[in-house]
Amino acid sequence: MAAESAPQICRWHVHDTAADVYAALVAAIDRLGHERADGPFNLVLTGGSTARAVYPRLRHLDTDWSAWRFYWGDERCLPPDHPERNSRLARDLWLDHIPLAPAQVFVIPAELGPKMAAQRYDAIVRTLPAFDLVVLGLGEDGHVASLFPGHDWGTAAAAASVLAVEDAPKPPPQRVSLAAWRLSRARHVFVAATGAAKREAVAAWRRGERLPAMAVTPPGGVDVFVDRLCLHD
Ligand code: 6PG
């Protein structure tokens, strides 16, 4: 059951270049993977430019991959092997290059369509009390996962944990997304934004405007990794 959104705590990590942002993200993810106590390290993945930049670097971590469990914050309703699927991106750039058992990877079955896939994935994430880490990219309109301005973000008390998205403004229109409250049930949340194209979204977020990004309110706060290009100096 969702709780009403708590106030968001943001720690802004400003780096000179996008490459520095991605290096900092890789180091932070690696650190959390090592810091975990016994038991699995439950990680929620994103799609987009952050994924494309960071996943190839994560292949080379010196870590116990057998403890890692991979989930997604959102998925596009496309065939499983479609090149624009977030799960395909992660496999091509990272997961197919490290020693994993199939049982460690929990793909959103978005090929079933938004409603069915949301129901199926709810049954999977429902078994988890909290994620260890959620990684999100910030969209130009301030969206994260597939939670878009003017659409349902899943913050209401009765919101489902996984949302069926039928009319996303970012193609494809049909998607599946973890709700904001479910993304907030995490020990750590990292959000990345680089480049001038994200400047308006970052400025609106820092002004406290109601954006999907600000609806992710984990108790320990959000770590936002940005470069100077996307900050209003
Ligand atoms: C997706 C991603 C999405 C992405 C943002 C930012 O399916 O599109 O999961 O949430 O992270 O759209 O993507 P860019 O950094 O490529 O703008």
Side-chain angles (χ1 to χ4, degrees), residues 49-66:
S49 61
T50 302
R52 285 192 291 274
V54 168
Y55 291 174
R57 303 175 192 212
L58 289 168
R59 294 178 199 174
H60 308 298
L61 295 190
D62 176 15
T63 190
D64 173 12
W65 291 118
S66 68

Side-chain angles (χ1 to χ4, degrees), residues 11-17 20-21 24 206 224-231 233:
R11 289 176 292 273
W12 293 84
H13 307 272
V14 183
H15 297 273
D16 286 338
T17 66
D20 295 336
V21 167
R206 287 165 72 91
V224 191
F225 297 78
V226 295
D227 66 359
R228 292 206 179 286
L229 262 184
C230 74
L231 268 191
D233 280 329

Side-chain angles (χ1 to χ4, degrees), residues 8 11 13 21 29 56 86 101-103 109 118 128 130 133 148 152 167 172 179 183 203 221-223 225-226:
Q8 185 179 60
R11 289 176 292 273
H13 307 272
V21 167
I29 293 169
N86 291 338
L128 274 175
L133 171 61
F148 294 94
D152 177 17
D167 53 353
L183 291 168
V222 176
D223 287 287
F225 297 78
V226 295

Side-chain angles (χ1 to χ4, degrees), residues 8 22 32 37 54 77 101 107 118 120 122 130 137 144 148-149 162 180 200 205:
Q8 185 179 60
Y22 300 136
L32 290 185
V54 168
C77 293
V107 172
R120 295 280 181 86
D122 174 82
V144 290
F148 294 94
V162 186
E200 265 322 299
W205 188 1

Side-chain angles (χ1 to χ4, degrees), residues 46-50 52 74 76 86 137-139 143-145 170 175 198:
T46 181
S49 61
T50 302
R52 285 192 291 274
D74 69 329
R76 292 104 180 266
N86 291 338
L138 181 71
H143 81 262
V144 290
K170 177 179 179 182
R175 291 161 168 256
K198 307 298 174 71

